[in-house]
C-alpha cells in the first residue's frame, strides 16, 4: 500500500541511511578580539572580575628594557574592564618573558595582578636590538599588587634589583600555600623572596629561561629547579651540572605513579635526571627548546614531547626554517618524530586537554612562522586541527608579520581546553566543536542516583 511505502521511506531517512551530510566543523571560533592599540605578545589568564570565569590580561612593554608600560584586563570576548598605563601599538612586541602573574596574593578570595616595576636602566644609551641587562641600574625593582577587579594598587614591596625577567610563586617557608616568590634576572641570578619581601637567599649561575618548583624532598617546602641546578627551599644547591657555556631552554619536574621524581631539561639535547642529579638518559638534539609531559597516548601512563629547533640556524624564521617534534616514553625511547613543513617554525608546545571526555591529551604547537597556523597534534604525531590567527578589524599585512603565541586553557567552560592565540595586533580563541559525550547529559533523568 502507498502509505506503507511512504512510511518505510520516512523511516529509512530517519534512521540515517540517506547520503551523509557535509562533515561538521571540528573547531569553533569563540571570539575574535579587537585589541586596538593594547595588543601584546604577552598574555596572562585568570578570573579578574570575580565572576568565576577566566579573563585575559594583555601586557605591553618597551622592547629594549622590558619595562612594563600598560596592562589591559578584558573578558574572553574582548570587553575591557580596566587599563593602567598608556597603550601603544608599538609596545606590543617582546623577545622574552615578562614579570607578570595573576594570583590571589593576599588570600582574600579575589585574584590580584602582580607585576614588577623595573629598576631604571641607566647610561650609557642603548641603540636597539635585544638587551639582556643594563650596564647600570638606578633605584629598586618593585613588585606591585593590583586589585584584579579594577587595577587599583593594593600594596607593593621592593625586590632585589634588577629582577628584570620573570618571577613565579612558590612555598619556600612551608606555610602550605605558594605565596613566596622566586625572582630572576635574565640569565645570571635567582632570589628567594618571602611574602613579606624579605630576601631569603640568592643564587648565581646559568639560570636558563624559567624555573620549575615542586616539593621534591617531601618536607612541605618547594625546591627550585633552575638552569642546571636543583636548589633546596633555603637556596642550598642540592646538585649542579656544568652549563658548558649553554643555558637551559626548558625544564620540567615530573613525578609519575612510581613516586620517583624525574627532572627534565633541554640545553641542546634533552636530558632526564634523578632527583639527586644522576642522569637517567639523554638525547643529543640540536636545540631542545621545550619539553612537556602528558598522557598523549593510551598505551602508557605518560609521554614526553619535545621541540627541536636545530634546523633554524641562528633563530632564522623564514619560509625555509622548520622544526622537529619528538615524542618519547618515560624511559627515553623515541616513539615518533615529525619534521614540520618548511616555514613551520614552532616556538613552543603545550599540553592541551583538547578532546576531553577522558581521552588522551594533545600537543599544541604554536608560533609556526609568519602566516602559518598553530596546530594540534595527537599522540601519533598527526595534525588533528590547525588554527589561523584571526585579526579584527582588518589589520594591515605589515602588522600581521611576526610570531604568534598561544595558550591552552578551559576558558569556554565545556570541560575541554580552548586555544588562545595572540599577537601584537590580534587575538582570538578557538574551541573544539566535536561532540563531547558526557554521561550526566546524555542519560539525564528526574531521578538522579538511579
Amino acid at each position: 500500500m502507498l502509505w506503507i511505502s511512504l512510511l518505510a521511506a520516512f523511516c529509512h531517512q530517519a534512521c540515517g541511511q540517506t547520503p551523509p551530510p557535509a562533515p561538521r566543523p571540528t573547531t569553533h571560533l569563540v571570539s575574535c578580539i579587537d585589541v586596538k592599540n593594547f595588543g601584546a605578545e604577552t598574555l596572562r589568564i585568570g578570573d579578574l572580575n570575580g565572576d568565576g570565569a577566566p579573563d585575559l590580561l594583555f601586557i605591553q612593554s618597551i622592547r629594549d628594557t622590558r619595562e612594563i608600560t600598560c596592562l589591559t584586563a578584558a573578558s574572553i570576548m574582548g570587553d575591557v574592564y580596566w587599563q593602567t598605563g598608556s597603550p601603544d601599538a608599538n609596545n606590543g612586541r617582546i623577545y622574552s618573558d615578562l614579570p607578570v602573574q595573576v594570583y590571589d596574593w593576599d588570600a582574600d578570595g579575589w585574584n590580584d595582578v602582580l607585576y614588577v616595576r623595573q629598576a631604571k636602566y641607566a647610561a650609557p644609551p642603548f641603540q636597539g636590538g635585544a638587551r639582556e641587562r643594563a650596564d647600570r641600574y638606578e633605584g629598586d625593582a618593585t613588585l606591585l599588587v593590583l586589585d584584579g577587579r579594577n587595577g587599583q594598587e593594593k600594596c607593593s614591596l621592593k625586590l632585589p634589583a634588577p629582577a628584570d625577567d620573570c618571577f613565579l610563586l612558590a612555598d619556600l617557608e612551608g606555610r602550605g600555600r605558594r605565596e613566596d616568590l622566586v625572582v630572576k634576572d635574565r640569565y645570571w641570578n635567582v632570589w628567594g623572596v618571602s611574602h613579606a619581601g624579605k630576601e631569603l637567599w640568592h643564587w648565581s649561575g646559568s639560570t636558563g629561561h624559567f624555573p620549575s618548583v615542586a616539593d621534591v624532598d617531601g618536607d612541605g617546602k618547594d625546591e627550585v629547579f633552575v638552569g642546571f641546578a636543583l636548589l633546596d627551599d633555603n637556596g642550598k644547591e642540592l646538585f649542579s651540572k656544568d652549563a658548558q657555556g649553554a643555558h637551559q631552554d626548558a625544564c620540567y619536574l615530573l613525578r609519575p605513579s612510581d613516586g620517583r621524581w624525574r627532572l627534565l631539561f633541554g640545553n641542546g639535547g634533552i636530558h632526564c635526571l634523578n632527583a639527586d642529579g644522576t642522569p637517567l638518559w639523554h638525547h643529543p638534539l640540536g636545540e631542545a627548546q621545550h619539553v612537556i609531559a602528558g598522557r598523549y597516548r593510551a598505551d602508557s601512563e605518560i609521554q614526553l614531547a619535545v621541540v627541536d629547533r636545530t634546523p633554524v640556524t641562528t633563530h632564522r624564521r623564514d619560509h625555509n626554517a622548520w622544526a622537529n617534534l619528538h615524542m618519547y616514553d618515560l624511559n627515553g625511547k623515541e616513539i615518533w618524530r615529525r619534521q614540520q613543513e618548511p616555514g613551520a617554525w614552532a616556538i613552543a608546545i603545550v599540553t592541551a586537554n583538547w578532546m576531553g571526555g577522558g581521552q588522551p591529551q594533545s600537543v599544541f604547537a604554536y608560533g609556526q612562522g609568519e602566516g602559518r597556523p598553530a596546530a594540534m597534534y595527537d599522540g601519533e604525531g598527526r595534525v588533528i586541527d590547525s588554527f589561523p590567527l584571526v585579526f579584527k578589524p582588518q589589520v594591515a599585512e605589515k602588522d600581521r608579520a611576526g610570531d604568534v603565541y598561544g595558550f591552552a586553557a578551559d576558558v569556554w567552560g565545556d570541560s575541554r581546553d580552548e586555544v588562545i592565540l595572540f599577537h601584537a595586533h590580534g587575538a582570538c580563541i578557538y574551541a573544539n566543536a566535536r561532540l563531547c559525550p558526557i554521561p550526566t547529559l546524555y542519560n539525564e533523568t528526574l531521578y538522579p542516583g538511579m
Side-chain angles (χ1 to χ4, degrees), residues 71-188:
L71 301 171
T72 303
S75 73
I76 65 169
M77 297 301 174
D79 301 316
V80 175
Y81 302 143
W82 54 263
Q83 189 173 74
T84 182
S86 300
D88 186 335
N90 294 318
N91 289 339
R93 301 296 304 276
I94 192 63
Y95 67 91
S96 69
D97 206 353
L98 289 176
V100 184
Q101 300 294 345
V102 175
Y103 190 68
D104 183 5
W105 175 250
D106 51 12
D108 66 351
W110 301 86
N111 267 338
D112 305 303
V113 171
L114 285 62
Y115 82 98
V116 174
R117 183 173 60 206
Q118 308 289 17
K120 183 180 178 181
Y121 278 49
F126 181 68
Q127 301 296 327
R131 185 172 195 165
E132 306 296 0
R133 59 180 170 182
D135 297 299
R136 182 168 58 85
Y137 294 89
E138 295 178 352
D140 296 303
T142 304
L143 179 76
L144 299 179
V145 180
L146 310 183
D147 190 322
R149 293 167 290 183
N150 53 33
Q152 298 298 309
E153 183 177 330
K154 297 173 71 172
C155 63
S156 65
L157 60 130
K158 291 184 179 180
L159 297 175
D164 60 353
D165 187 66
C166 68
F167 69 86
L168 66 161
L169 283 301
D171 185 1
L172 301 177
E173 297 192 299
R175 288 190 294 270
R177 184 174 184 266
R178 286 181 171 169
E179 56 185 27
D180 304 311
L181 299 173
V182 175
V183 183
K184 68 179 284 291
D185 62 11
R186 186 72 174 128
Y187 288 131
W188 305 275

Side-chain angles (χ1 to χ4, degrees), residues 33-43 58-61 63 87-95 389-393 395-396 398-406 421-428:
I33 299 172
D34 184 356
V35 298
K36 299 181 176 67
N37 59 350
F38 63 80
E41 291 180 352
T42 303
L43 184 73
F58 295 86
I59 301 107
Q60 290 188 332
S61 65
R63 181 176 171 85
D88 186 335
N90 294 318
N91 289 339
R93 301 296 304 276
I94 192 63
Y95 67 91
L389 177 57
V390 181
F391 294 86
K392 180 182 180 181
V395 175
K398 67 179 179 64
D399 293 329
R400 291 171 176 261
D403 297 324
V404 176
Y405 295 82
L421 297 179
F422 51 99
H423 177 282
H425 298 281
C428 66

Side-chain angles (χ1 to χ4, degrees), residues 100 111 121 123 130 152 162 174 196 203 208 229 250 269 273 285 331 354 364 375 397 402 421 429 441:
V100 184
N111 267 338
Y121 278 49
Q152 298 298 309
W203 181 85
L273 309 176
L285 306 176
N331 297 316
W354 182 242
F364 174 48
E397 289 300 320
L421 297 179
I429 299 175
L441 298 184

